[in-house]
Amino acid sequence: MAKYEAKMKETESSVIEFIETVDSPKKREDAYKLLEIFSEATGYEAKMWGPSIIGFGSYHYKYATGHEGDAPLVGFSPRKAKISLYVTTGDSERDAILEKIGKHTSGKACVYINKVTDIDVEVLKELINRSITFLQETYGS
C-alpha cells in the first residue's frame, strides 16, 4: 500500500504574494487584517500550507489508524465564498467561545465568516489561543 501523501504541507511560497492574488479587494483587506490578528495572537510567523492556507505554528498528529502528518496549529484562508478560519475541533470550550464571536457558520474543522467586521476580534484571539493550547496539550509540542 502506498504511503499517504498529505495535501497540506508547509511551503516556501510567500504569504503576501498569495494575499495579493485574492480577487476581491475587500477579502484581500480582510486577509491582511487576519494576518495581523493571527500573527499577534500566536507569536508565530505566517507560512503557506498548500496552495491557499495561511498557517501559524505546526503540530504533528497521529491517528489510531496510523495516519500521521503535520498541520498548522491555526490558520485561515480567504476563499471566494467565505473566509475559512482553521481553529481546532474537539475542545469543549469551542462552542461557548463561538457563541460570543459574532456572525459565522461552522463546520467540523472550520469557522466561516463573510468579513472581519462581522466578528469580535478579541473573541477570535481567545479562540486562537484556546486552539493552540488544546492542540499542544493533545499532541505535545
Side-chain angles (χ1 to χ4, degrees), residues 13-107:
S13 300
S14 164
V15 170
I16 301 301
E17 284 177 21
F18 168 68
I19 292 174
E20 286 299 317
T21 67
V22 174
D23 284 342
S24 158
K26 185 70 189 125
K27 270 225 172 73
R28 200 165 41 243
E29 187 181 315
D30 276 351
Y32 281 117
K33 281 183 195 161
L34 288 168
L35 179 62
E36 192 176 306
I37 292 163
F38 275 78
S39 295
E40 184 184 303
T42 67
Y44 291 110
E45 183 185 348
K47 300 278 189 180
M48 289 303 301
W49 285 76
S52 62
I53 295 173
I54 299 168
F56 300 81
S58 67
Y59 70 99
H60 186 80
Y61 60 86
K62 187 168 188 174
Y63 298 134
T65 60
H67 173 78
E68 63 183 287
D70 297 300
L73 288 166
V74 291
F76 70 92
S77 184
R79 308 239 183 240
K80 272 193 178 27
K82 292 186 181 269
I83 298 169
S84 300
L85 305 175
Y86 296 95
V87 287
T88 190
T89 57
D91 184 344
S92 59
E93 292 179 39
R94 181 177 188 249
D95 290 342
I97 295 170
L98 284 176
E99 283 178 20
K100 303 182 294 183
I101 203 164
K103 188 178 169 189
H104 75 284
T105 54
S106 60

